[in-house]
Amino acid sequence: MEDKKVIFSGVQPTGCITLGNYLGALKNWVELQNDYNCLFSVVDLHSITVRQDPVQLRKRCVDFLIQYLACGIDGESNIVYFQSHVPQHAELSWILNCYTYLGELSRMTQFKDKSAKHENNINAGLFTYPVLMASDILLYQTDLVPVGHDQLQHLELTRDIAIRFNHIYGDTFKVPEPYVVKSGAKRIMSLQNPTSKMSKSDPNENGYISILDTPDAILRKIKRAVTDSGSTIKFEEGRDGINNLISIYSAVTDKSVSEVEAEFDSKGYGDFKLAVAEAVIEHLRPVRERYEDLKKNKDYIEKIYSEGAQRAAYIAQKTLSKVHRRIGYVDRKYIKK
Ligand code: TYM
């Protein structure tokens, strides 16, 4: 790989890839990919912290990987792969579990939210999930992690674990930085309940837009989006619904919030919603078209994720071997250097 800084990021293969995932993460991956050595993983180990149907999961994993490519990720110059194909993730995760405190994990808001939602399956994996995420990142000596706002707490913990390990054993891990866009796209809200984030596990499908939704579905969902009883298109404190639509429009058109406000100065909600829907439809149209094309090319997809896993495993093993040496494990003589 060229001597560039390293990016790692991933999406869990649950539900569907939403407009929130796209604007908060994937769109930025695409924008950053030429300037960094990038690894983009479908983080399937993470997804089983919640029960998954095996047939659906296998299909969804491939489908997510295809959507990464459809969004514009170059599968050859970047490393694109399934997390479960690179066993070093799970191996490092065990080790880092021993350098993470229960108190730290019990403060994680995602754990609190998910354990409230799945109270019959509060498994140990759900609790130690952030340690696996730290392992994903630290295995590749990652510099930058482009994520949405909701992952910042996990990133902070990742940094703490890296600093702690380095402090005990000497420099072992690069301490990564989060990359979160400054605009409202860092936190796209549910269309039905604009005080909570747009989520792919929302049981109400009117709350989110999938990046593969048809133009009709996008139009319908945006028209039904919950707004307040006002009438002006202004980004103001407390107007969560309209602020969210402004953020979405601004992100897909690359216009600033004040440009959007000026454009819709004398217009009402009806016109604005139509314009937002139209802009989202046009932005996602090429993604859907590329997805349909790529889906037909099974051999190419297999090649991308097989080569991706091999390249990832090679880099991951370097870090893992270093960690083993630091801790005091006997060298694995059977691994060729
Ligand atoms: P996940 O699968 O929930 O979401 C994937 C990415 O999408 C971002 N995101 C959002 N951004 C803006 N608005 C929203 N409504 C919204 N919803 C989700 C997330 O911040 C994320 O960047 N734990 C991670 C997956 C993961 C990971 C990693 C990420 C595992 N290991 C290592 C980075 C590096 C997660 O559950 O993301």
Side-chain angles (χ1 to χ4, degrees):
M1 274 176 125
E2 279 178 73
D3 200 16
K4 293 178 184 168
K5 288 193 169 180
V6 177
I7 277 186
F8 181 94
S9 202
V11 180
Q12 285 194 74
T14 53
C16 61
I17 298 188
T18 67
L19 188 64
N21 300 135
Y22 175 75
L23 296 177
L26 278 144
K27 183 168 180 281
N28 307 309
W29 304 358
V30 174
E31 283 160 13
L32 296 165
Q33 65 180 333
N34 294 330
D35 299 329
Y36 292 83
N37 285 328
C38 302
L39 296 107
F40 298 119
S41 184
V42 175
V43 288
D44 50 0
L45 296 179
H46 281 90
S47 69
I48 61 161
T49 49
V50 171
R51 288 276 180 274
Q52 303 293 335
D53 172 80
V55 174
Q56 291 296 324
L57 179 61
R58 189 170 298 114
K59 190 169 165 295
R60 198 184 305 117
C61 283
V62 176
D63 229 47
F64 270 44
L65 190 126
I66 297 176
Q67 288 176 66
Y68 284 9
L69 305 180
C71 286
I73 298 295
D74 183 328
E76 289 171 51
S77 58
N78 302 296
I79 297 181
V80 179
Y81 70 103
F82 298 118
Q83 185 188 29
S84 63
H85 288 189
V86 179
Q88 287 86 351
H89 287 253
E91 231 184 310
L92 182 62
S93 184
W94 167 256
I95 292 175
L96 294 184
N97 266 319
C98 303
Y99 298 85
T100 309
Y101 297 112
L102 288 187
E104 291 177 306
L105 291 174
S106 47
R107 281 195 291 276
M108 296 292 118
T109 54
Q110 187 166 308
F111 170 70
K112 290 185 209 165
D113 290 351
K114 286 215 173 159
S115 43
K117 270 194 207 142
H118 303 277
E119 47 179 16
N120 295 323
N121 183 19
I122 307 180
N123 58 70
L126 197 61
F127 190 63
T128 58
Y129 174 114
V131 184
L132 178 58
M133 179 161 164
S135 308
D136 300 341
I137 297 167
L138 300 179
L139 263 183
Y140 301 99
Q141 305 294 342
T142 301
D143 294 279
L144 205 63
V145 187
V147 282
H149 183 265
D150 63 318
Q151 295 301 316
L152 281 180
Q153 197 185 28
H154 290 160
L155 248 297
E156 206 43 59
L157 178 66
T158 301
R159 289 169 54 85
D160 289 345
I161 297 172
I163 292 168
R164 180 173 305 144
F165 196 97
N166 288 347
H167 184 72
I168 302 173
Y169 296 105
D171 236 11
T172 309
F173 298 118
K174 176 79 67 70
V175 180
E177 296 286 337
Y179 175 94
V180 179
V181 284
K182 294 215 170 56
S183 69
K186 64 175 179 274
R187 195 154 193 264
I188 298 296
M189 309 309 277
S190 156
L191 299 177
Q192 288 299 308
N193 178 11
T195 52
S196 49
K197 73 164 189 176
M198 182 179 282
S199 162
K200 49 172 128 86
S201 54
D202 189 340
N204 179 357
E205 63 171 42
N206 287 322
Y208 61 83
I209 290 173
S210 154
I211 59 170
L212 297 179
D213 269 348
T214 60
D216 280 354
I218 297 174
L219 180 63
R220 180 168 40 81
K221 290 178 184 181
I222 292 184
K223 272 190 178 167
R224 284 191 192 167
V226 170
T227 43
D228 52 48
S229 56
S231 58
T232 53
I233 316 300
K234 286 252 175 300
F235 197 100
E236 285 165 342
E237 177 84 32
R239 301 184 65 201
D240 303 302
I242 209 71
N243 291 350
N244 192 35
L245 293 178
I246 293 177
S247 297
I248 292 173
Y249 186 74
S250 147
V252 296
T253 58
D254 276 329
K255 292 177 184 165
S256 69
V257 170
S258 46
E259 281 169 334
V260 179
E261 288 174 340
E263 184 178 346
F264 293 94
D265 190 28
S266 54
K267 303 250 170 68
Y269 285 0
D271 285 338
F272 181 54
K273 281 183 168 178
L274 273 183
V276 177
E278 197 54 36
V280 172
I281 290 167
E282 285 318 312
H283 192 91
L284 293 179
R285 190 184 300 281
V287 174
R288 222 155 61 87
E289 288 171 358
R290 281 197 294 265
Y291 168 79
E292 293 301 337
D293 264 0
L294 284 161
K295 226 171 45 165
K296 295 181 202 136
N297 207 339
K298 212 167 150 245
D299 291 346
Y300 175 70
I301 299 302
E302 267 181 33
K303 174 175 171 288
I304 295 290
Y305 68 68
S306 304
E307 289 181 5
Q310 279 176 9
R311 289 163 66 201
Y314 178 79
I315 306 169
Q317 189 55 45
K318 284 192 180 172
T319 301
L320 192 61
S321 299
K322 187 168 165 191
V323 168
H324 283 173
R325 276 197 304 278
R326 295 278 203 238
I327 293 179
Y329 292 155
V330 175
D331 254 9
R332 296 181 191 182
K333 296 293 183 199
Y334 67 88
I335 292 185
K336 290 198 206 92
K337 293 264 157 58

